[in-house]
Amino acid sequence: MDTAEAVVNATQHLQPLIRDLGLILMTAAVAVLLFKKIKQPLVLGYLIAGFLAGNNFDFFPSIKDIKSVEVWAEIGVIFLLFSLGLEFSFKKLMKVGGTASITAVTQIIAMVALGYSVGTWIGWKPMDSIFLGVILSISSTTIILKTFDELGVKTQKFAGIVLGSLIVQDIVAILMMVLLSTIAVSQQFSGTELLFSVLKLIFFLTIWFVGGIFFIPTLLKKAKSLLTDEMLLIISLALCLMMVILAANVGFSPALGAFIMGSIIAETTQAEHIEHLVKPVKDLFGAVFFVSVGMLINPETLYEYALPVGILTFVVIFGQSISSTIGALLSGQPLKQSVQTGMSLSQIGEFSFIIATLGMTLNVTSDFLYPIVVAVSAVTTFTTPFMVKFANPFSEYLEKKLPRRWIKRIERYSANAQSIKLVSNWQIVVKSFLTQVVIHSVIIVAVILLSSKFILPLVEDYQFGNAAGALITLIIISPFLWALSLRRVAVNEVAILREERKYRGPILMMVLLRMVLTLFYIGFLLNIFFSPIIAFVALIVAVVVYFVFPKKLNAQYHKIEDHFLKNLNAREGKKGMRSRSDLTPWEGHMSTFEIAPTSNVVGKTLYELRIREELGVNIAFIKRGEFTINIPTKNERLFPGDEICIIGTDNQVKEFDSYLHKNEIQNPEVIENDIILKQLELLEEEFIGATIKDSQLREKTNGLIVGIERRGKRMLNPESNMILEKHDILWVVGSKKLLRAFFRN
């Protein structure tokens, strides 16, 4: 009886969940079809679908179990961030360059300050204003990528700056989510707590990144021959959820863990394949997330706060545009590209929803903030395509209307900024020193802390157990201790600086600091396993042994480093020259196009096509499968599926794109025959006694004899030399029209 009741209870609990999920996906499907038809962003359709399916709209069936929907939405956020990490790796961030970084940082600082000021001016609570500032500072990657794709501007130079800025924004948004969580808990700006949060974030990001790059690409590479698509998807999602658990356990947002694992997997050679496999999962749960966001739209709240929605929409469109334009100008971009960049970033989207959700989860923001943010996002989603489309005409208008001396100063500043690419030797040395100290310190501290938590409890009850545990830990970290204290970095730059007297002291202090840190970490480890006196004696012994085996430690460290760098650079090596975006002077940039199988340029040499002479672009490389042809000669032919990378200005790239489209055979004529399987009795005298081959039935009917029935015996796929007999029943696959005409049936 208890079992029956349990089944009934489970069924009653399950039915609302299935009903609600079905309703969500049904409304999302309708939204997808409708908004695809009217060529509007799907995100906006999901929001409206959620609004219709929510409890605030009574004309359609409504969701019953909001708590279950919130769980699905949290899963959606995790997969959205995981997919975003797959697209924007750590390494890509390091290569994004100063232009995108300056643009993004300028925009974020300006919009956080502006958002907080507007919130305070409206009369909102300080915490609402803080969250509002952060929400308004992050542009929408999803909406921008969709808009660029629909308008066909992805190959233009400003698009690269925008995408680079989005990478920086996403990383900064993750950092701000951590800081907002800290502020929400303490309810005040505590400098010490914020500093601790930043250091904690740096520590875990470093250890996760280094450990992930060292192990995960190796795991995927070793198991490559065993992995099917199903297994690869399961392993990828398992790694994502594992990092989600780790991030939650150390006090970070689960979304941060998903983003970190996505960024780690993005460095593997299978990143594109995994991204392709994860996309349906991301789309499914992403749709649930955006629909759940739309459910929170309350018409009464929007009516009550119509004025703040209007004000904040104005702030986003003009504030984002102006601050991003100023940032791009400060980074040294020309006026045209700066205006195009600024007007493209004039919206808020998915990250703003996630940050607003964080405020609701922590119970530190007011109920009205979320629907206001959704409304502002909906309006700015509509305006984004128009802002991108009119950016070029508006930049030309500004060039005509602004004073001529301003235009000349902008051009001169842009030319000077783009020509400054040299970095001083001192900057190189300081950067190398800090990298060396931070990375190795994090690894050493992480290993010591893990040892104290897992190894020490296991060995402390045994005789000499502490000594064995300390020795094991010391052996593990010894290569990193050697690298921290003795490994030479920026050798050529240090040698040059030592010739100048003023740099000798600072360089010596750097060396001494690294050695002092090494001794501190050894002492820290020994102090965990021993009493202070024994630790001091062990420290002396450890230092002596440490300096006795420098060559072995050197060899072991370089083995570890080579493995790490091989994993880190594996994807880049596979891509060949694609990442060399620094090979373009002035307003030129690199764009990649794929040669369609039906293109008229297929099979022709570069000399025959005369691309350089006709269009003014240079071909940097041709990628053909796993091979890359750098700086191809005039005799190189183009083949279907080739990826061709060109160097040119925006107009030249646009002309090349049009050139490829003009040469592509649109809707090629295909002869479609109505193929059928027909049963025919052989009565024609001319075929009786002839072989299948001599009968020429295949040539005359454009068909195949796939079977023959003879006196009840069946023969599948008969040989061509088989002799046909009267009353044979032929089974023929061929054109319905030709078969009927030939046999007159």
Side-chain angles (χ1 to χ4, degrees):
M1 187 68 181
D2 293 339
T3 305
E5 290 180 359
V7 171
V8 171
N9 292 334
T11 305
Q12 291 175 348
H13 175 71
L14 188 63
Q15 286 175 350
L17 175 64
I18 295 176
R19 178 187 178 279
D20 291 344
L21 184 60
L23 182 59
I24 289 174
L25 295 180
M26 189 164 52
T27 54
V30 173
V32 166
L33 294 174
L34 178 61
F35 277 73
K36 189 74 174 176
K37 184 70 175 177
I38 62 177
K39 297 182 179 180
Q40 292 298 324
L42 298 184
V43 173
L44 189 60
Y46 290 143
L47 295 177
I48 295 176
F51 171 68
L52 297 177
N55 295 326
N56 298 312
F57 199 80
D58 297 330
F59 294 98
F60 290 94
S62 300
I63 298 297
K64 301 297 182 183
D65 190 357
I66 296 296
K67 292 295 182 181
S68 297
V69 175
E70 291 176 356
V71 173
W72 290 113
E74 289 180 12
I75 297 174
V77 172
I78 288 172
F79 287 128
L80 278 174
L81 269 293
F82 179 59
S83 182
L84 193 63
L86 286 171
E87 297 174 9
F88 299 140
S89 65
F90 280 110
K91 197 169 183 184
K92 189 182 288 186
L93 174 64
M94 292 188 292
K95 291 189 173 183
V96 80
T99 298
S101 301
I102 294 172
T103 302
V105 171
T106 303
Q107 175 198 12
I108 289 171
I109 293 174
M111 291 305 298
V112 168
L114 183 60
Y116 178 79
S117 301
V118 171
T120 304
W121 175 67
I122 294 175
W124 291 356
K125 297 186 303 182
M127 196 58 66
D128 288 332
S129 301
I130 293 171
F131 271 82
L132 177 65
V134 176
I135 287 169
L136 299 186
S137 67
I138 307 298
S139 302
S140 172
T141 302
T142 303
I143 295 169
I144 290 175
L145 290 178
K146 182 69 175 174
T147 302
F148 281 5
D149 188 52
E150 291 175 350
L151 297 179
V153 298
K154 287 197 298 185
T155 57
Q156 296 188 24
K157 187 174 183 179
F158 82 92
I161 302 172
V162 171
L163 296 180
S165 299
L166 290 172
I167 297 173
V168 179
Q169 284 189 25
D170 292 336
I171 296 294
V172 174
I174 293 290
L175 175 61
M176 288 195 293
M177 286 174 64
V178 176
L179 298 181
L180 286 174
S181 300
T182 304
I183 295 172
V185 172
S186 61
Q187 291 292 316
Q188 60 183 354
F189 288 99
S190 174
T192 305
E193 291 184 3
L194 290 178
L195 178 61
F196 175 76
S197 297
V198 172
L199 293 177
K200 181 181 176 183
L201 179 64
I202 293 173
F203 175 82
F204 282 103
L205 285 180
T206 304
I207 199 65
W208 285 338
F209 175 67
V210 173
I213 292 298
F214 189 83
F215 291 107
I216 291 176
T218 304
L219 170 66
L220 294 178
K221 185 177 180 181
K222 295 290 185 184
K224 186 176 182 181
S225 59
L226 303 175
L227 292 178
T228 62
D229 285 354
E230 180 184 3
M231 293 173 63
L232 187 59
L233 174 62
I234 292 172
I235 290 174
S236 302
L237 296 182
L239 290 172
C240 168
L241 296 177
M242 179 193 72
M243 187 60 78
V244 166
I245 295 170
L246 287 176
N249 286 340
V250 297
F252 292 134
S253 165
L256 173 63
F259 183 84
I260 296 300
M261 182 50 68
S263 300
I264 292 171
I265 295 179
E267 304 298 350
T268 67
T269 56
Q270 300 186 58
E272 288 91 349
H273 190 195
I274 292 173
E275 186 178 348
H276 175 73
L277 294 175
V278 171
K279 188 176 185 300
V281 181
K282 184 251 313 187
D283 290 342
L284 171 64
F285 288 105
V288 175
F289 168 69
F290 288 118
V291 170
S292 69
V293 169
M295 291 179 188
L296 297 173
I297 300 176
N298 190 333
E300 295 179 359
T301 304
L302 292 182
Y303 178 78
E304 182 181 353
Y305 292 93
L307 182 60
V309 169
I311 294 173
L312 294 178
T313 301
F314 179 87
V315 168
V316 168
I317 294 176
F318 290 95
Q320 292 269 36
S321 299
I322 295 172
S323 60
S324 299
T325 300
I326 293 173
L329 288 172
L330 290 176
S331 69
Q333 291 302 309
L335 180 63
K336 178 182 176 181
Q337 274 83 31
S338 299
V339 172
Q340 288 176 313
T341 300
M343 293 180 69
S344 299
L345 293 167
S346 58
Q347 74 292 118
I348 58 175
E350 62 279 356
F351 244 124
S352 299
F353 301 151
I354 294 170
I355 294 171
T357 303
L358 176 66
M360 292 182 61
T361 305
L362 297 173
N363 295 318
V364 294
T365 56
S366 302
D367 294 336
F368 60 78
L369 182 61
Y370 202 105
I372 287 177
V373 169
V374 173
V376 173
S377 174
V379 176
T380 54
T381 297
F382 268 126
T383 60
T384 296
F386 300 102
M387 296 291 285
V388 175
K389 191 179 295 184
F390 293 116
N392 191 31
F394 184 66
S395 66
E396 294 175 354
Y397 173 80
L398 285 179
E399 288 180 348
K400 293 178 182 178
K401 295 299 181 180
L402 288 176
R404 189 60 192 165
R405 64 179 184 275
W406 290 15
I407 301 296
K408 286 185 176 180
R409 286 180 181 177
I410 292 173
E411 292 175 350
R412 192 179 303 116
Y413 176 78
S414 175
N416 292 336
Q418 293 188 37
S419 65
I420 299 174
K421 294 184 179 179
L422 297 177
V423 181
S424 70
N425 290 327
W426 177 246
Q427 288 175 307
I428 295 174
V429 171
V430 172
K431 182 180 178 181
S432 301
F433 168 79
L434 292 176
T435 303
Q436 188 86 344
V437 169
V438 171
I439 292 178
H440 293 101
S441 294
V442 168
I443 295 173
I444 292 167
V445 171
V447 173
I448 293 174
L449 293 178
L450 289 172
S451 178
S452 66
K453 186 172 183 179
F454 296 106
I455 296 180
L456 182 59
L458 295 176
V459 301
E460 60 183 352
D461 295 331
Y462 298 94
Q463 188 176 10
F464 303 113
N466 287 29
L471 181 61
I472 292 171
T473 308
L474 192 59
I475 290 173
I476 294 173
I477 66 175
S478 57
F480 305 105
L481 290 171
W482 172 86
L484 176 61
S485 59
L486 299 177
R487 184 171 182 262
R488 300 172 68 190
V489 295
V491 178
N492 295 331
E493 288 78 9
V494 170
I496 294 172
L497 291 176
R498 276 181 174 168
E499 295 178 1
E500 299 184 39
R501 195 170 195 175
K502 63 178 180 179
Y503 290 116
R504 292 175 187 171
I507 290 175
L508 179 61
M509 291 299 297
M510 288 181 181
V511 174
L512 291 176
L513 178 59
R514 289 169 58 184
M515 290 186 175
V516 169
L517 277 174
T518 303
L519 293 174
F520 171 77
Y521 292 138
I522 296 175
F524 176 53
L525 166 64
L526 297 175
N527 189 58
I528 292 176
F529 284 86
F530 305 109
S531 62
I533 297 176
I534 299 176
F536 179 74
V537 176
L539 173 61
I540 297 174
V541 175
V543 171
V544 172
V545 174
Y546 171 71
F547 282 102
V548 169
F549 301 103
K551 291 185 179 180
K552 290 186 177 180
L553 295 175
N554 181 7
Q556 186 64 28
Y557 175 78
H558 280 291
K559 185 178 179 181
I560 296 172
E561 184 183 51
D562 290 343
H563 181 79
F564 175 83
L565 293 176
K566 185 178 180 181
N567 285 347
L568 183 64
N569 297 321
R571 187 180 180 188
E572 186 179 73
K574 183 179 177 182
K575 287 187 174 183
M577 238 179 106
R578 183 182 303 195
S579 61
R580 294 299 309 276
S581 59
D582 59 321
L583 302 179
T584 55
W586 309 305
E587 294 188 3
H589 63 105
M590 301 174 76
S591 296
T592 304
F593 297 87
E594 184 173 343
I595 304 300
T598 57
S599 177
N600 287 324
V601 304
V602 169
K604 295 182 180 180
T605 64
L606 298 181
Y607 177 77
E608 292 172 333
L609 295 172
R610 298 179 62 81
I611 293 175
R612 173 69 182 85
E613 292 77 8
E614 298 292 336
L615 301 174
V617 298
N618 279 310
I619 298 176
F621 65 85
I622 299 173
K623 188 173 185 298
R624 185 170 298 151
E626 297 294 325
F627 301 98
T628 300
I629 305 168
N630 294 327
I631 318 298
T633 65
K634 63 180 181 180
N635 296 320
E636 191 64 51
R637 293 184 185 275
L638 296 180
F639 291 93
D642 279 356
E643 292 185 26
I644 179 171
C645 180
I646 65 169
I647 299 176
T649 63
D650 282 344
N651 290 333
Q652 290 171 336
V653 170
K654 189 175 181 180
E655 288 180 14
F656 184 78
D657 189 27
S658 301
Y659 169 80
L660 288 182
H661 281 296
K662 288 178 183 177
N663 279 279
E664 189 173 338
I665 302 173
Q666 303 293 337
N667 301 320
E669 184 179 354
V670 179
I671 300 175
E672 295 185 0
N673 294 322
D674 188 5
I675 304 298
I676 62 170
L677 173 65
K678 189 169 182 63
Q679 180 184 6
L680 304 166
E681 184 176 359
L682 189 60
L683 298 173
E684 300 289 339
E685 294 292 335
E686 64 175 298
F687 300 128
I688 297 173
T691 64
I692 293 176
K693 180 179 180 181
D694 295 336
S695 69
Q696 294 190 330
L697 282 171
R698 176 169 182 170
E699 291 78 8
K700 294 177 181 179
T701 64
N702 195 26
L704 295 172
I705 299 177
V706 295
I708 295 179
E709 289 187 26
R710 180 177 293 171
R711 295 184 291 274
K713 184 180 179 181
R714 296 177 176 179
M715 290 163 279
L716 181 66
N717 295 329
E719 298 288 341
S720 61
N721 57 3
M722 183 176 182
I723 298 175
L724 299 174
E725 297 180 6
K726 192 172 184 179
H727 299 299
D728 280 351
I729 298 175
L730 308 182
W731 290 87
V732 186
V733 173
S735 167
K736 180 178 180 180
K737 182 178 179 181
L738 292 175
L739 288 174
R740 282 183 174 177
F742 186 82
F743 288 99
R744 299 184 182 90
N745 288 335

